[in-house]
Amino acid sequence: MRDDTALWDAPRNPATPISLGPARLTPVHLTRQTLVSGPNVLQQTDLPLVDWPGAAPSDAYAAILRRDRLLLVNAPETPDGWNDTTQQATSDVTDAYTVFDLTGDALPLLGRGAEITPDIPSRSTARQLFGLGVFLYRMEDAKTYRLHVPRAHAEALVTHFEKAASHG
Amino acid sequence: MTLRLPTGGLIDRSKPLTFTFDGKPHTGYAGDTIASALLASGTRILGRSFKYHRPRGLWGAWVDEPNAIMNVTLDGHEFPNCLATTTYLQGGMAARAVNTWPSARFDMKAGLDLFHRWFAAGFYYKTFMWPDWHLFEPLIRRMAGLGAVSPDHLDTYTSDQTHDRCDTLVIGGGPAGLAAAEAAAQSGQDTLLIDDHAQLGGTAHQLPQIDATPTADWIAQRQSAIEAAGGRILTHTTAFGIYDHGLVGLAQNGPFGTAPRLIRLRAARIILATGAIDRPLTFANNDRPGIMAVAAAAEYLARYATLPGRQIALLANTPQADTLAAQLTQAGAQVTHVDPAQSPLSARGGKRLKALQAGDRTHPADTILASGGLTPLVHLWRHAGGSLAWCDRRNAFLPGTPPDNMTATGAANGSFETDEALEHARATGQNTPAKRPDPKHHITPHWPAPGSKGRQWIDFQHDVTLKDVELAARENYTSVEHLKRYTTLGMASDQGKTSNMPGLAAMAAIQGRPIPEVGTTTFRPPFVPVPIEMYHGAHTKQLWNPLKRLALEPQHRAAGAALGEYGGWLRPGWYGKGDPVQQAQTEALMARQTAAIFDASPLGKIEVMGPEAEAFVNFIYYNTIATLKPGKIRYGFMLTEGGAVFDDGVIARLDANRFVISCSSSHVDSVRTHLEAWRQDGNDPDRIFIHDTTQHWATLTVTGPRARAILDTLDLDTDDFPHMSLRETSWQDTPLRLARVSFTGDTSFELSIRASKAPALWSALLDAAKPLDAGPIGVEALSILRAEKGFLMIGKDTDGETMPHDLGFTAPRQKKSTPFVGDRSLHTDKANAPDRKQLVGLTVPAGAPPLPTGAHVVTDDEIPRSLGYVTSSYLSPTLGRPIALALLENGTDRMGDTITAWHLGETRQATVTAPCALDPEGARLDA
């Protein structure tokens, strides 16, 4: 039985942007995040598909996680569960992932957390960044990188970015 | 006596720098290393050997130096084990030789050398056995080791870590590396050239000109050409290891006192141009200060304008030695060229060298420059899996069959002649196959001669002598790997750069075998010592395996929670500032008397969906799940293929094709992986889908006799809601899953709501609980509550061999008719063995304290045998006595037996009982 409270910094205000030197990490509030899986899910969605490096529109889109799984962003609400007609499994995961936009001189920071370059495309947006599982892609402006990190690891990701930024 | 020449070198004479060595002031120049500045000042002794504390001077000029290791203090901060030959001088440095006192020149432990006959290889294996090794260990440990780590923590010493990639990586910025990089860059390849020195050029600086161009201009031209073609150049950067899939570890050094940057580089192609180093000659007293490698002397002369000495005996027969002799003579030194084939050879002198004795001739000398030939630096080649090929003409191991996408060139490839090396390097850079140039010279072998007289050093850093190798051979440690471990040859911080070749050659000679048949030891990263800091970088403290954070952490902190790690999550252990044990007792009692609120958010919420979801979960679970009705919950186990309990928990059925698995809090990631593995192997992955929604939800447990009253306050309907049921309802217009399950044995409800609404729900529950004298509890209280009921925690009350029938769950094993994971293993002899450890409860005599967790239940034999161990032990506030759970051999047949528990030398008595100590009828569940 050990009180380790003092070893762990209190969580940040989740709404406050974080300055990372020449880059900036801004929390993003999305209306909805929906996990959809199915054998033909990539062909079934009407939303624009986003891969790496990607060009996600500002409203609704579908980030590819794997060949049978999408993360729908700001998509219309659909019932959770198995849909026999579409052969899709659906789960609302809006609060499962904390979302950030990384702007400014982002690539050097991302390069500290992952072996990554926009020159090498990937069908999936799923990555290991600083050892944490994230979904990562670029927005339409080609300057903004969007990250979805499991909520419980959001603090760790932000701290990693701060450490990386401290190295210039 | 200064050995610095008035002109020449790469040093900046306009920037003199003062520093101290072992307390004595010295001066050098910008561009000097500590070693070159000390050599220039005439300092001969820069360190002491590891075991015998023999005085040692400089052998090498760069990473091959075995002895000049120093603790260096700058700006009040001390840095241990800096290699003087690779540490660039800065003004104000205070360097101290390691492993010496009070100084390298006058070392109090030097007397150990008088007892060297008793300190042969492996002496400590034989000498300190009686009466007890631990008696000697503290003293030996104090005497061993190199520099001491400063207790001061330097917060700014943090390594940057980054990733990079390129088409072609050229390792080594010498003549061959420069030529290869230029050719690669100009042929359109994304090229990166790295070199560990501050300035490019490598051994080129030893040459007056290359391609009829003054060397400095030639280097500058190559550098400009590389950069003009889009190539990149990193100096101060060492490739310390090559790993799978073309991953190269680069350590980029910054100013002294800063941690190197780790660059994980992925290169499509690697050109190895790492050069070669001199092999020492093995003769009597060959470790004396003033005996230096030929190549090192050439470097000191070329880069630092420093003579190695004034009266030099040149003991080598390589072409490089001839060139150096002329340069040294021109610089004013008196050089005597001695054929190393003369025998016997011995160095005369102590702290200062006096002469080289060659046969019956004495050659007065203050310096001996020695070379047994050049050894290509093939470490990285071997890291990558390349083979080595022995060359009789060069007397060296050369790169053989290449690893994928790697080519060696220059001296690293055995090309010691500049023109041929450049031609080969340019072809290599262009990715044109090129044959290794034939050597122009045949090097006469000069290997250690077993049986010859005198103390002859093989490993200068670890004080391994030829006699030690002979001893190892006599004791049958003839494999080079055994030789290495027995004698510690090559195990020092220089990793045998200078000692491995003489060592294996000595073993070859002793056994009468050819050198290539004896082979080399394994080359492993890192090529040079690198700070551990560089490996972990930011992955330390809170970022070393970062814990998962609860959505309600701010609320828990505000409520005075004591947070700690529980299964990978930062969770409240208890609330309040009092004695933790008492706090947990108070919370547990409150839960039994009124009610408690517990943040159970880490519990798994893994959804299994699809037309074959039912069959899948029925296959995954030990228990039958197929019969579970929608809206119902069942407790069950997942097993490994070996039949051991992998996880436990409840599974709820939401509808015909949808299940939610509430696995253990600490096992969510592994259960998800387990499910995915089975989904994709042996099942139709198009008809089963697994969504881990754990972090979307927060789960709050309300437990205790007044739990229903708390939910009533929130207008949550609990009527007609039996135990092990689930409802999908809403609270404040937000979907809420209400589950009736219990981990305490009391009436309990689990309320799961999306995480962003958790603060509101938590606040409402606490407000409702307060008038009832109920409140929050932490994990410690919950652990007591579940132990009172005999409810187990996987991994705490089970081990890697526990099967479900060891826990009292026998029915599926006997009756389940459909296949399930682990089924076959539950029917093996091992699974049916009569001495399996089974979960039991233990009670202690009235008034006795709780048993220690981990205490072994032992037999009463003269030599006791462990029958099992206590897995959980608490003082039960409800029962007013200690309770315990244990895994005990054949435990169910020992009910009522008195057993002996042993812990740290003390024995206790206890009685075996059923695991459940409280309310075995389950009356409290529906109270």
Side-chain angles (χ1 to χ4, degrees):
Chain A
M1 297 178 73
R2 198 178 65 188
D3 182 358
D4 283 346
T5 310
L7 298 180
W8 296 88
D9 297 333
R12 295 167 178 78
N13 181 341
T16 306
I18 296 136
S19 176
L20 301 170
R24 189 174 178 82
L25 198 62
T26 309
V28 177
H29 175 75
L30 298 176
T31 306
R32 190 171 299 105
Q33 299 183 74
T34 313
L35 209 55
V36 182
S37 300
N40 303 306
V41 72
L42 269 65
Q43 290 78 42
Q44 288 172 316
T45 184
D46 295 330
L47 297 171
L49 293 172
V50 175
D51 54 14
W52 170 262
S58 55
D59 47 3
Y61 53 90
I64 301 171
L65 305 187
R66 55 189 216 197
R67 62 187 171 190
D68 60 0
R69 181 164 297 173
L70 296 171
L71 180 73
L72 307 185
V73 175
N74 292 336
E77 187 172 0
T78 48
D80 279 7
W82 178 255
N83 185 321
D84 255 336
T85 309
T86 60
Q87 295 287 291
Q88 287 182 2
T90 301
S91 298
D92 180 9
V93 290
T94 306
D95 287 353
Y97 298 98
T98 303
V99 184
F100 297 99
D101 276 352
L102 183 63
T103 51
D105 197 14
L107 274 176
L109 284 178
L110 293 173
R112 285 180 162 87
E115 187 180 333
I116 195 167
T117 166
D119 302 333
I120 300 178
S122 169
R123 194 71 173 126
S124 172
T125 60
R127 293 269 179 183
Q128 287 276 310
L129 186 68
F130 299 110
L132 305 170
V134 301
F135 310 137
L136 172 64
Y137 49 88
R138 211 163 53 177
M139 303 301 286
E140 264 179 348
D141 63 4
K143 297 175 185 169
T144 303
Y145 292 84
R146 180 160 288 179
L147 292 135
H148 303 241
V149 60
R151 177 178 47 78
H153 274 146
E155 276 294 316
L157 182 72
V158 173
T159 310
H160 265 299
F161 270 124
E162 288 177 331
K163 295 271 187 190
S166 73
H167 290 291
Chain B
M1 177 189 71
T2 180
L3 294 171
R4 185 84 77 184
L5 299 174
T7 58
L10 306 178
I11 52 174
D12 184 352
R13 292 167 200 268
S14 70
K15 293 179 182 168
L17 305 170
T18 58
F19 69 107
T20 64
F21 172 59
D22 280 350
K24 188 179 169 190
H26 293 271
T27 305
Y29 296 105
D32 259 327
T33 61
I34 294 176
S36 68
L38 288 173
L39 179 67
S41 72
T43 306
R44 306 301 273 183
I45 301 172
L46 279 74
R48 290 275 167 169
S49 66
F50 180 77
K51 190 162 67 171
Y52 301 127
H53 286 254
R54 301 257 295 187
R56 291 283 163 78
L58 289 168
W59 163 263
W62 196 241
V63 293
D64 55 332
E65 165 57 34
N67 286 124
I69 300 170
M70 300 177 181
N71 272 20
V72 178
T73 304
L74 183 66
D75 298 332
H77 299 294
E78 187 181 46
F79 299 89
N81 296 332
C82 304
L83 193 60
T85 49
T86 59
T87 303
Y88 285 104
L89 188 64
Q90 289 192 30
M93 279 180 162
R96 280 202 170 275
V98 300
N99 199 27
T100 66
W101 190 84
S103 68
R105 184 162 178 75
F106 299 103
D107 181 20
M108 291 293 283
K109 293 179 189 168
L112 286 169
D113 195 33
L114 298 172
F115 305 97
H116 67 86
R117 289 180 192 284
W118 289 275
F119 292 167
F123 74 98
Y124 39 85
Y125 300 136
K126 304 166 183 170
T127 313
F128 299 110
M129 301 301 290
W130 185 89
D132 187 351
W133 155 254
H134 297 289
L135 209 61
F136 306 99
E137 187 183 2
L139 179 67
I140 291 172
R141 289 207 182 280
R142 262 204 303 279
M143 293 185 70
L146 297 175
V149 178
S150 165
D152 297 331
H153 182 257
L154 186 55
D155 287 333
T156 55
Y157 195 82
T158 58
S159 267
D160 188 12
Q161 295 189 334
T162 189
H163 300 77
D164 203 346
R165 59 191 312 135
C166 64
D167 293 338
T168 301
L169 170 68
V170 181
I171 303 172
L178 283 165
E182 181 185 19
Q186 288 180 338
S187 63
Q189 301 163 54
D190 173 17
T191 303
L192 176 64
L193 169 67
I194 63 158
D195 191 81
D196 50 3
H197 283 83
Q199 299 191 44
L200 294 173
T203 56
H205 297 292
Q206 300 169 18
L207 306 172
Q209 57 181 26
I210 300 176
D211 291 342
T213 305
T215 298
D217 296 341
W218 186 88
I219 294 169
Q221 287 168 8
R222 302 289 80 71
Q223 182 170 351
S224 300
I226 293 165
E227 290 172 338
R232 294 177 291 157
I233 297 172
L234 292 178
T235 56
H236 293 288
T237 303
T238 305
F240 63 83
I242 295 187
Y243 305 87
D244 291 347
H245 310 298
L247 181 69
V248 186
L250 303 181
Q252 186 183 25
N253 288 302
F256 182 80
T258 60
R261 167 185 290 161
L262 171 66
I263 303 171
R264 297 187 182 97
L265 184 96
R266 193 80 63 179
R269 191 165 76 102
I270 299 168
I271 298 175
L272 199 68
T274 45
I277 57 173
D278 259 332
R279 285 193 297 273
L281 287 169
T282 307
F283 56 92
N285 286 329
N286 60 338
D287 69 325
R288 285 298 181 197
I291 301 178
M292 181 184 285
V294 167
E299 279 290 278
Y300 285 115
L301 185 63
R303 286 181 183 266
Y304 312 108
T306 296
L307 289 170
R310 294 285 179 190
Q311 192 172 25
I312 298 169
L314 189 56
L315 191 62
N317 63 352
T318 60
Q320 293 78 14
D322 297 336
T323 308
L324 179 63
Q327 292 170 336
L328 291 170
T329 305
Q330 191 179 3
Q334 181 187 335
V335 181
T336 306
H337 209 144
V338 182
D339 184 355
Q342 294 185 53
S343 180
L345 295 169
S346 68
R348 290 196 173 177
K351 291 179 179 177
R352 282 203 172 270
L353 202 62
K354 291 180 178 168
L356 170 67
Q357 186 73 37
D360 55 1
R361 291 198 60 185
T362 302
H363 303 278
D366 61 18
T367 301
I368 298 172
L369 301 184
S371 173
L374 289 168
T375 298
L377 283 170
V378 293
H379 298 63
L380 298 172
W381 182 269
R382 292 292 294 126
H383 293 178
S387 72
L388 298 179
W390 177 254
C391 174
D392 276 328
R393 295 185 67 186
R394 297 173 178 87
N395 267 286
F397 282 109
L398 305 181
T401 307
D404 288 344
N405 306 318
M406 183 182 275
T407 314
T409 192
N413 194 37
S415 306
F416 305 135
E417 307 293 335
T418 305
D419 292 342
E420 287 84 348
L422 290 177
E423 188 180 340
H424 184 271
R426 289 183 182 117
T428 303
Q430 291 164 347
N431 218 352
T432 306
K435 185 176 173 291
R436 174 186 290 132
D438 289 329
K440 287 182 179 173
H441 302 277
H442 188 137
I443 303 295
T444 307
H446 297 293
W447 297 115
S452 54
K453 289 184 177 175
R455 298 173 72 191
Q456 305 181 34
W457 264 258
I458 300 286
D459 187 322
F460 293 128
Q461 190 176 123
H462 262 182
D463 268 339
V464 179
T465 64
L466 180 57
K467 282 191 166 48
D468 291 323
V469 178
E470 292 171 308
L471 175 66
R474 281 201 303 277
E475 302 200 345
N476 209 27
Y477 295 102
T478 51
S479 151
V480 283
E481 296 288 1
H482 292 160
L483 169 68
K484 173 178 175 176
R485 272 104 192 144
Y486 185 70
T487 62
T488 74
L489 191 160
M491 289 172 68
S493 60
D494 68 347
Q495 288 288 286
K497 289 184 179 65
T498 53
S499 62
N500 279 348
M501 281 301 297
L504 67 93
M507 182 55 78
I510 291 165
Q511 295 184 282
R513 299 162 67 194
I515 289 174
E517 196 176 295
V518 172
T520 66
T521 51
T522 305
F523 294 78
R524 295 188 180 89
F527 170 65
V528 291
V530 289
I532 293 172
E533 164 64 33
M534 194 195 70
Y535 286 110
H536 66 67
H539 294 267
T540 180
K541 298 179 181 174
Q542 294 182 32
L543 294 178
W544 190 82
N545 191 20
L547 297 186
K548 294 173 183 166
R549 310 293 283 267
L550 295 166
L552 289 174
E553 186 180 323
Q555 285 72 24
H556 294 315
R557 285 178 182 262
L563 301 173
E565 182 192 347
Y566 294 93
W569 288 80
L570 188 65
R571 305 182 69 178
W574 62 94
Y575 294 84
K577 294 296 178 193
D579 170 46
V581 173
Q582 189 53 51
Q583 292 295 121
Q585 291 280 308
T586 304
E587 290 174 13
L589 196 59
M590 173 186 71
R592 290 284 183 227
Q593 291 176 341
T594 58
I597 319 294
F598 177 71
D599 186 350
S601 299
L603 280 172
K605 269 82 63 175
I606 300 177
E607 298 199 11
V608 180
M609 292 173 278
E612 292 189 8
E614 178 188 289
F616 179 68
V617 293
N618 203 50
F619 170 71
I620 283 289
Y621 271 87
Y622 168 64
N623 314 69
T624 299
I625 307 297
T627 54
L628 188 66
K629 304 293 184 203
K632 293 296 178 186
I633 294 172
R634 189 163 291 169
Y635 176 77
F637 292 107
M638 289 182 206
L639 311 183
T640 66
E641 283 182 276
V645 175
F646 177 67
D647 191 56
D648 75 336
V650 296
I651 177 169
R653 187 167 200 165
L654 297 179
D655 61 38
N657 296 325
R658 187 179 178 205
F659 295 80
V660 179
I661 292 174
S662 179
C663 53
S664 306
S665 301
S666 57
H667 293 164
V668 175
D669 294 334
S670 56
V671 167
R672 183 185 63 240
T673 308
H674 181 73
L675 295 173
E676 272 294 349
W678 281 112
R679 168 186 170 262
Q680 296 176 31
D681 185 2
N683 290 281
D684 184 348
D686 286 346
R687 295 172 66 79
I688 306 157
F689 291 94
I690 294 153
H691 286 178
D692 181 1
T693 66
T694 303
Q695 295 192 32
H696 174 69
W697 301 91
T699 300
L700 301 178
T701 301
V702 184
T703 182
R706 304 301 304 276
R708 205 178 292 272
I710 293 175
L711 264 65
D712 287 346
T713 312
L714 273 65
D715 291 331
L716 291 171
D717 181 11
T718 58
D719 292 340
D720 192 23
F721 190 40
H723 184 56
M724 302 303 266
S725 301
L726 180 138
R727 276 182 189 160
E728 293 190 272
T729 178
S730 66
W731 182 73
Q732 293 188 347
D733 298 325
T734 303
L736 182 141
R737 281 185 195 154
L738 184 60
R740 178 91 197 273
V741 290
S742 179
F743 196 41
T744 64
D746 276 314
T747 306
S748 295
F749 300 91
E750 286 183 357
L751 289 71
S752 295
I753 197 165
R754 59 182 293 182
S756 56
K757 286 288 284 184
L761 181 60
W762 172 258
S763 179
L765 289 171
L766 288 187
D767 288 347
K770 199 168 183 182
L772 305 174
D773 291 329
I777 62 169
V779 177
E780 297 294 342
L782 184 75
S783 299
I784 297 172
L785 296 169
R786 64 90 201 173
E788 289 173 337
K789 287 293 295 179
F791 294 159
L792 56 103
M793 283 185 172
I794 302 297
K796 179 170 174 57
D797 300 302
T798 63
D799 62 23
E801 296 190 341
T802 305
M803 291 178 167
H805 52 281
D806 301 326
L807 305 169
F809 293 83
T810 56
R813 176 173 175 245
Q814 295 160 350
K815 297 177 182 171
K816 188 170 178 179
S817 56
T818 54
F820 60 92
V821 177
D823 184 6
R824 187 191 62 81
S825 300
L826 298 182
H827 301 283
T828 59
D829 288 347
K830 186 180 179 187
N832 288 298
D835 59 349
R836 292 195 61 80
K837 290 188 177 67
Q838 295 160 333
L839 187 72
V840 297
L842 296 175
T843 59
V844 296
L851 293 166
T853 301
H856 278 259
V857 179
V858 295
T859 62
D860 295 327
D861 303 333
E862 189 177 349
I863 300 174
R865 183 176 71 84
S866 175
L867 298 169
Y869 51 91
V870 177
T871 59
S872 295
S873 179
Y874 305 95
L875 179 65
S876 164
T878 315
L879 298 167
R881 63 171 175 84
I883 54 167
L885 299 173
L887 284 172
L888 180 62
E889 254 182 42
N890 202 16
T892 50
D893 285 349
R894 295 179 193 262
M895 291 295 158
D897 288 1
T898 299
I899 55 92
T900 301
W902 182 94
H903 183 70
L904 298 177
E906 292 185 6
T907 55
R908 301 271 305 278
Q909 302 297 305
T911 304
V912 181
T913 66
C916 179
L918 175 74
D919 185 28
E921 302 79 17
R924 296 180 65 99
L925 205 56
D926 285 307

